[in-house]
Amino acid sequence: MAGQMLPPIALVAVVICITAAAAAKVPAMYVFGDSTADVGNNNYLAGAAVPRANFPHNGIDFPTSRPTGRFSNGYNGVDFLALNMGFRRSPPPFLAVANKTSNPLFRGLQGTNFASAGSGILDSTGQSIIPMSKQVQQFATVQRNISARISQQAADTVLSRSLFLISTGGNDIFAFFSANSTPSSAEMQRFVANLVSLYTNHVKDLYVLGARKFAVIDVPPIGCCPYPRSLHPLGACIDVLNELASGLNKGVKDAMHGLSVSFSGFKYSIGSSHAVVQSIMKHPQRLGFKEVTTACCGSGKFNGESGCTPNATLCDNRHDYLFWDLLHPTHATSKIAAAAIYNGSLRFAAPINFRQLVDDQH
């Protein structure tokens, strides 16, 4: 079928078939980003420097209590967003299906997760991981496979209705801060402008490959995570990190608006994990949380000096905690964040929420 033009009725049949197979509101979900979205790609990477979460206590609240590579006690935000969209589970890691001969093409048709913990917008961010540019290249492979299977025309239709989720940027900010913890405002502006420019290029590359619906997750106030707090002499949030996160979020917001004006059929929503985390920190009890500074799993100050390993301190009441480990949210936090971003007001997702983006069939 490769290269052939499908008649309209066959094209419709392919789309209906794929949508029905996914039992979801979009044919597929393709995920790009860092540890906030990784569902196990890094398990397949070699090297001691690779950030991993495929060991206890990670996954303690995941079905069958198994660690999967998610930096969470259970599901992460991507999992909950996939459930909101009607998928039975979030798409598999690219590296889990890339080398399988048992029809990985149809797995690709229902979505793939390319996210890699430790990665960033910049190729220089992270060690031995899959940077955003490589993740886009991996999607290009999947896109070629799909086109070869169901024709370019049918593939274009499927991809234009699918959701492309991006959650990245925090690691770039941490790397910049590690190299210079007291940057000038001019240095910060230059760094953010460069990040936004590269982010925009990644989105444009996906558009050229057939993406039309972009669901972006912004960067939370990362200066208030347990790890940065453990570095602060008074245990406060690190303002520089939060300023950089806000700067990047504003730049990406403006860039996405610009792309939507310039590119035909370009639709997007920016889900604000930043606004969700701020809300939880401001009114924890109202949202069912009791601990918003210390991690559930870790060691040292705020349980933020090292990661969640089998020997780490583990809290009992995991649903009371905002943070699972030194940098990542709990299952409970991710559930609330996904609900707010998917169904919420303009405060949590703009210019439309994820549900409206998913439902837009034009």
Side-chain angles (χ1 to χ4, degrees):
M1 197 184 283
Q4 292 177 15
M5 294 292 280
L6 281 184
I9 192 73
L11 178 60
V12 170
V14 166
V15 175
I16 290 171
C17 169
I18 292 162
T19 308
K25 296 168 186 176
V26 290
M29 178 179 175
Y30 299 98
V31 181
F32 306 83
D34 55 26
S35 56
T36 57
D38 191 345
V39 294
N41 272 310
N42 279 22
N43 300 351
Y44 298 87
L45 301 178
V50 176
R52 302 180 195 279
N54 57 342
F55 45 76
H57 302 285
N58 297 295
I60 191 168
D61 297 311
F62 195 82
T64 70
S65 294
R66 65 192 174 93
T68 58
R70 289 165 173 82
F71 289 76
S72 172
N73 55 309
Y75 287 158
N76 64 19
V78 171
D79 295 311
F80 284 116
L81 287 167
L83 292 171
N84 273 301
M85 283 175 225
F87 290 102
R88 282 180 299 166
R89 60 182 70 87
S90 63
F94 173 73
L95 295 180
V97 296
N99 301 321
K100 287 190 177 172
T101 53
S102 59
N103 202 356
L105 306 178
F106 258 107
R107 300 292 286 278
L109 272 170
Q110 291 185 23
T112 314
N113 187 316
F114 303 92
S116 175
S119 72
I121 299 160
L122 300 168
D123 281 355
S124 58
T125 297
Q127 284 183 293
S128 312
I129 44 73
I130 311 162
M132 186 72 183
S133 60
K134 181 77 186 295
Q135 293 177 36
V136 174
Q137 289 170 20
Q138 289 174 339
F139 170 70
T141 305
V142 170
Q143 186 250 23
R144 284 193 297 273
N145 286 344
I146 293 170
S147 298
R149 188 173 189 91
I150 65 171
S151 91
Q152 185 67 53
Q153 184 189 354
D156 287 348
T157 302
V158 170
L159 294 177
S160 71
R161 294 178 182 176
S162 296
L163 198 80
F164 288 75
L165 190 144
I166 304 171
S167 182
T168 190
N171 291 325
D172 301 285
I173 293 170
F174 277 122
F176 175 76
F177 176 78
S178 295
N180 181 5
S181 61
T182 55
S184 68
S185 60
E187 286 170 329
M188 288 167 70
Q189 282 171 356
R190 268 199 308 275
F191 170 70
V192 167
N194 185 42
L195 273 192
V196 172
S197 174
L198 286 166
Y199 197 114
T200 307
N201 287 344
H202 295 318
V203 172
K204 284 180 184 172
D205 289 343
L206 289 171
Y207 179 90
V208 168
L209 290 166
R212 293 296 179 269
K213 289 186 174 187
F214 294 90
V216 170
I217 308 283
D218 73 6
V219 179
I222 53 175
C224 297
C225 290
Y227 167 63
R229 279 187 188 273
S230 76
L231 302 176
H232 194 289
L234 301 175
C237 299
I238 292 187
D239 292 337
V240 171
L241 289 169
N242 287 345
E243 286 168 34
L244 288 164
S246 294
L248 175 60
N249 291 344
K250 185 186 182 310
V252 168
K253 179 184 171 185
D254 293 345
M256 293 299 285
H257 174 71
L259 291 170
S260 74
V261 172
S262 304
F263 289 92
S264 173
F266 188 105
K267 298 160 191 168
Y268 75 99
S269 171
I270 299 178
S272 186
S273 65
H274 194 279
V276 173
V277 171
Q278 275 191 327
S279 294
I280 294 171
M281 288 192 301
K282 198 172 179 182
H283 305 290
Q285 266 88 13
R286 207 181 282 177
L287 293 161
F289 293 90
K290 292 178 182 168
E291 179 51 71
V292 295
T293 55
T294 297
C296 171
C297 184
S299 64
K301 281 171 66 181
F302 302 104
N303 271 349
E305 292 180 15
S306 65
C308 182
T309 62
N311 297 325
T313 303
L314 178 67
C315 71
D316 294 325
N317 44 343
R318 295 182 285 279
H319 56 276
D320 290 342
Y321 281 68
L322 166 58
F323 295 105
W324 164 240
D325 65 8
L326 72 174
L327 291 171
H328 303 99
T330 55
H331 176 97
T333 305
S334 292
K335 187 174 186 178
I336 285 175
I341 287 166
Y342 195 79
N343 293 304
S345 65
L346 285 169
R347 182 179 175 198
F348 300 113
I352 54 176
N353 62 31
F354 279 22
R355 180 180 53 77
Q356 291 166 308
L357 181 66
V358 163
D359 289 346
D360 184 347
Q361 297 301 321
H362 299 295

